[in-house]
Amino acid sequence: MSAFKPLVFSGVQPTGNLHLGNYLGAIRKFVALQADNDCIYCVVDLHAITAQLVHDDMRGQIRSIAAAFIAAGIDPKKHIVFNQSAVPQHAELAWIFNCVARIGWMERMTQFKDKAGGKNAEQVSLGLLAYPSLMAADILVYRATHVPVGDDQKQHLELTRDIAQKFNIDFGSHIRKAGTGVDIVVGEEPVHAYFPMVEPLIGGPAPRVMSLRDGTKKMSKSDASDLSRINLTDDADTISKKIRKAKTDPDALPGEVEGLKGRPEAENLVGIYAALSDKSKAEILAEFGGQQFSVFKPALINLAVNVLSPITDEMRRLMDDTSHIDAILRDGGERARARAEKTMKEVRDIIGFVQ
């Protein structure tokens, strides 16, 4: 192999209703990327039990995410859509990566520190601490080269690169002997690598969608107020109500992006409009600069309803009879397992396990 074959991987957790932030920050990117890339998209159900072990309707949540993928435009025949637990090689590689990674690396992860809460660190699951090893395995079990991520996942992707680099260096002679590596350069250092240095795909006018009730907080499934987010299952009336009630400030919209500084709610709504319309914030402000929110919000409502309603309708149709979704997940799982097992056979050979 002279180079790593380009491959895009990403996943979404089946926890709570998908919302506008998930769509703009992830699923919409997934759809766009499939035009020019080989893509694998996963419902990461193993991750869903790291913070909360028992779920009332895990199967329903998994199917809902898969339905959102399909309704948004992902083609499960040209690409792969599956649920993570259907491919046991994810967990197998994650264990190996647990032995590659260092505890200090895991403890420095911002999300772990936020969720463990310092004094409560001894009470959280080991899975929450080891979460980034499983995320690295999700990506690298397919030797994926690119991952579309939001700003909050950049640190985990950097850790994935650290794990890949340490594995490549520790097993360098084994990789060369196995004949399955690729000559790459990391920084200025030549490395004969089995795993690629994964690159993040971050971009778009709204890479991070904020709460409709507080522009300084990320839009979240776990927010106590349903008014803080637009769910992909919301009907047109509910979308309209939430945008009308969205927090703003008394000033008119500025004519330039610089004028959004210090106005988080205004910046959030402009960013949402820009992302939904595939335009830049500058283009939106050129159109609405000087206008009050009483003018801007109705325009945003019309745009959001036009973009989201077809997706919502198709999700509902798919969830009314889940046999089609289940068939897609089974087919995707079989195809994903075949790819993942090829990697694991080579990894076992590199490590020296008897097969």
Side-chain angles (χ1 to χ4, degrees), residues 56-90:
D56 293 334
D57 186 22
M58 177 70 86
R59 291 185 183 90
Q61 293 287 343
I62 292 167
R63 288 166 174 150
S64 178
I65 303 296
F69 285 171
I70 307 309
I74 290 171
D75 186 337
K77 293 182 179 179
K78 291 184 178 179
H79 305 280
I80 295 178
V81 173
F82 73 106
N83 58 299
Q84 180 188 26
S85 61
V87 182
Q89 291 84 354
H90 285 242

Side-chain angles (χ1 to χ4, degrees), residues 105-263:
W105 298 1
M106 301 300 182
E107 291 177 336
R108 285 195 293 272
M109 293 295 103
T110 301
Q111 285 197 16
F112 173 73
K113 289 191 287 187
D114 289 346
K115 292 179 180 179
K119 294 180 180 178
N120 298 321
E122 293 185 2
Q123 302 301 316
V124 300
S125 75
L126 178 59
L128 186 63
L129 178 65
Y131 175 109
S133 277
L134 179 56
M135 180 176 169
D138 297 337
I139 299 163
L140 295 175
V141 79
Y142 305 103
R143 299 171 89 182
T145 56
H146 293 83
V147 177
V149 294
D151 290 340
D152 59 331
Q153 288 292 336
K154 286 172 65 178
Q155 189 185 32
H156 283 166
L157 201 61
E158 289 166 3
L159 181 63
T160 297
R161 290 168 59 91
D162 290 341
I163 289 172
Q165 175 75 336
K166 189 174 190 304
F167 182 95
N168 290 337
I169 291 174
D170 288 352
F171 289 99
S173 61
H174 294 210
I175 294 168
R176 192 172 294 280
K177 182 179 179 181
T180 50
V182 174
D183 288 319
I184 64 173
V185 176
V186 181
E188 297 181 355
E189 181 181 0
V191 177
H192 192 65
Y194 180 76
F195 290 116
M197 294 291 101
V198 186
E199 295 292 338
L201 296 171
I202 301 172
R208 194 174 192 195
V209 180
M210 311 306 282
S211 165
L212 298 180
R213 308 301 291 166
D214 182 348
T216 65
K217 295 180 179 179
K218 186 180 175 183
M219 187 176 285
S220 171
K221 305 171 189 175
S222 60
D223 195 303
S225 173
D226 193 55
L227 291 173
S228 69
R229 59 188 169 269
I230 295 174
N231 302 306
L232 291 190
T233 52
D234 286 344
D235 59 24
D237 288 343
T238 303
I239 291 172
S240 176
K241 172 187 173 183
K242 289 180 176 180
I243 292 176
R244 285 200 313 271
K245 289 181 173 291
K247 183 180 178 182
T248 55
D249 56 49
D251 297 330
L253 286 169
E256 297 181 353
V257 175
E258 186 74 15
L260 292 172
K261 285 188 176 179
R263 301 178 64 185

